């Protein structure tokens, strides 16, 4: 009875909190609305570390992507604060939040639907003849810059992984990030690496760029293609002696320069010591600047030989 009264009081507090945020440019949906728009969660688009993403359709016919959050903790005020913060973002490289659901234990976010799908299907598809090579290196390079610009924008308001971690903790539940472990900075799992900060996002960005380049690895280069660790070590050694990287689809000198920039920047991003990782604004400068101004970073220490599980909803705010 005491527990029920406590939950009821918390719920009343959140409802009052929502009324005070009545000017939010978002629509609040009920759980019933969510079930209707997703046809009872029938069409799953992907699974991220914090929940499944489902295709939905609004009454006006517009398609949306609904992220049903799992393992939600707290009384909901932090979630609503995050919704209020995200609703104020506006950037060409960030998917738009259209609405949310807060009802009982249900927490869901409704985003605009990206008809081209996730980046993952373009960089991890086994049948490279149909998908990977449909994106030229110039396009992948521009995607890397666009994502970096989006993160730079979010970091100005200090969004990112540091916002979802309790301030008193430096470890995120392994259950909560089970689908995206390969993209998570070491310090998220161990206090020995420091506290979670925006540099954790930098690490994740670097691992994503590594995946973008590893997806174009030739089959005859003699390196284990099952692990980011082995690929990273291999490509670093190639950079040190200025050898060809052996990646598919490089057709001219401009491509060679783009690929080299992407790899050097990604290696800087995954440095073990967070203070050695450049901030996102610097990452953008490095990608857009001259290749001659880039220095090869110290060899990063990656402790896990295990490949990251595929996250089929790779995008900036998924």
């Amino acid at each position: 009875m005491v527990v029920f009264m406590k939950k009821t009081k918390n719920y009343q507090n959140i409802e009052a909190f929502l009324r005070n945020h009545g000017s939010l440019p978002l629509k609040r949906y009920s759980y019933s609305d969510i079930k209707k728009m997703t046809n009872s969660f029938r069409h799953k688009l992907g699974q991220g570390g914090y929940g499944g993403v489902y295709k939905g359709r609004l009454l006006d016919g517009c398609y949306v992507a609904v992220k049903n959050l799992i393992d939600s903790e707290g009384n909901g005020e932090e979630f609503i604060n995050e919704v209020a913060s995200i609703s104020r973002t506006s950037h060409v490289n960030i998917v738009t939040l259209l609405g949310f659901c807060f009802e009982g234990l249900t927490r869901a976010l409704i985003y605009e639907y990206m008809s081209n799908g996730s980046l993952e299907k373009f960089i991890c598809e086994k049948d490279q003849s149909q998908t990977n090579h449909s994106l030229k290196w110039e396009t992948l390079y521009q995607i890397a810059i666009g994502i970096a610009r989006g993160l730079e924008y979010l970091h100005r308001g200090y969004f990112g992984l540091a916002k979802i971690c309790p301030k008193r903790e430096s470890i995120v539940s392994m259950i909560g990030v089970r689908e995206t472990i390969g993209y998570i900075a070491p310090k998220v799992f161990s206090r020995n690496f420091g506290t979670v900060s925006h540099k954790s996002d930098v690490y994740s960005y670097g691992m994503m760029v590594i995946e973008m380049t590893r997806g174009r690895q030739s089959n005859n280069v003699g390196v284990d293609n099952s692990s980011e660790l082995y690929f990273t070590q291999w490509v670093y050694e190639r950079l040190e002696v200025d050898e060809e990287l052996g990646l598919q689809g490089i057709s001219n000198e401009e491509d060679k320069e783009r690929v080299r920039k992407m790899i050097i920047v990604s290696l800087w991003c995954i440095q073990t010591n967070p203070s050695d990782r450049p901030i996102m604004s610097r990452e953008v400068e490095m990608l857009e600047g001259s290749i001659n101004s880039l220095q090869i970073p110290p060899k990063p220490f990656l402790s896990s030989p295990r490949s990251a599980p595929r996250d089929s909803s790779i995008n900036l705010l998924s």
Side-chain angles (χ1 to χ4, degrees):
M1 183 67 177
V2 174
V3 175
F4 176 78
M5 290 178 63
K6 184 177 180 180
K7 288 184 177 179
T8 301
K9 184 176 181 180
N10 284 337
Y11 191 80
Q12 291 173 346
N13 289 340
I14 295 301
E15 290 299 322
F17 185 83
L18 285 169
R19 287 194 295 270
N20 292 334
H21 285 74
S23 60
L24 284 178
L26 299 173
K27 182 173 181 179
R28 182 183 180 185
Y29 293 91
S30 67
Y31 180 71
S32 176
D33 293 333
I34 298 295
K35 285 193 68 176
K36 288 179 181 178
M37 72 174 66
T38 61
N39 197 9
S40 295
F41 306 100
R42 178 166 297 182
H43 186 172
K44 192 171 187 177
L45 297 173
Q47 178 71 36
Y50 292 92
V53 183
Y54 302 86
K55 185 175 182 179
R57 190 173 187 178
L58 302 180
L59 293 177
D60 62 5
C62 292
Y63 288 104
V64 292
V66 179
K67 181 146 197 178
N68 190 27
L69 303 180
I70 58 176
D71 299 327
S72 298
E73 298 180 355
N75 60 14
E77 187 169 338
E78 184 177 353
F79 170 75
I80 298 302
N81 270 316
E82 285 298 293
V83 169
S85 298
I86 296 173
S87 70
R88 293 192 290 268
T89 65
S90 178
H91 193 277
V92 66
N93 298 120
I94 300 175
V95 65
T96 302
L97 180 66
L98 302 175
F100 69 99
C101 174
F102 174 81
E103 182 178 306
L105 297 178
T106 301
R107 312 282 190 274
L109 300 172
I110 295 88
Y111 291 103
E112 62 177 324
Y113 178 70
M114 299 284 99
S115 59
N116 288 332
S118 69
L119 175 60
E120 182 266 349
K121 78 174 185 179
F122 292 100
I123 63 176
C124 299
E125 177 64 45
K126 293 182 180 180
D127 189 355
Q128 296 183 356
S129 64
Q130 293 184 13
T131 54
N132 276 7
H133 289 178
S134 65
L135 291 183
K136 297 183 181 298
W137 278 109
E138 180 180 4
T139 302
L140 289 173
Y141 173 70
Q142 291 300 329
I143 289 173
I145 292 177
I147 295 174
R149 287 185 177 277
L151 279 172
E152 177 193 13
Y153 169 81
L154 292 178
H155 283 178
R156 290 184 216 150
Y158 208 59
F159 280 80
L161 187 57
K163 294 277 286 186
I164 63 173
C165 295
K167 293 181 175 59
R168 65 181 181 277
E169 298 287 345
S170 62
I171 299 178
V172 174
S173 166
M174 292 291 285
I175 295 177
V177 295
R178 60 184 174 270
E179 294 295 332
T180 50
I181 188 171
Y183 296 97
I184 303 299
K187 61 186 173 182
V188 176
F189 301 107
S190 174
R191 288 186 176 89
N192 294 330
F193 290 98
T195 59
V196 175
S197 72
H198 63 285
K199 291 297 185 71
S200 303
D201 293 332
V202 174
Y203 183 96
S204 299
Y205 172 78
M207 292 303 296
M208 183 204 66
V209 176
I210 286 174
E211 277 288 275
M212 292 170 69
T213 57
R214 189 168 73 96
R216 296 298 182 84
Q217 181 180 319
S218 298
N219 295 325
N220 59 353
V221 296
V223 63
D224 185 349
N225 191 41
S226 65
S227 169
E228 292 88 350
L229 170 61
Y230 296 127
F231 175 76
T232 302
Q233 292 177 339
W234 175 82
V235 78
Y236 185 89
E237 292 169 359
R238 288 261 178 151
L239 282 176
E240 280 188 310
V241 296
D242 198 26
E243 288 186 3
E244 290 292 325
L245 298 175
L247 300 176
Q248 298 178 0
I250 298 177
S251 59
N252 51 50
E253 290 300 318
E254 288 78 12
D255 280 347
K256 288 183 180 180
E257 182 172 309
R258 294 181 185 110
V259 173
R260 192 175 180 87
K261 282 183 183 180
M262 290 171 66
I263 291 176
I264 291 177
V265 167
S266 67
L267 291 173
W268 274 112
C269 289
I270 63 172
Q271 292 295 300
T272 306
N273 188 340
S275 63
D276 292 334
R277 302 173 200 156
I279 60 176
M280 289 312 305
S281 59
R282 176 57 183 150
E283 307 291 356
V284 174
E285 292 175 1
M286 293 168 72
L287 285 169
E288 294 185 330
S290 170
I291 186 67
N292 296 324
S293 64
L294 297 184
Q295 294 182 336
I296 298 178
K299 190 173 185 177
F301 171 74
L302 298 176
S303 59
S304 174
R306 177 172 168 270
S307 178
R310 301 299 186 194
D311 181 349
S312 58
S313 59
I314 298 175
N315 58 45
L316 210 48
L317 282 177
S318 68

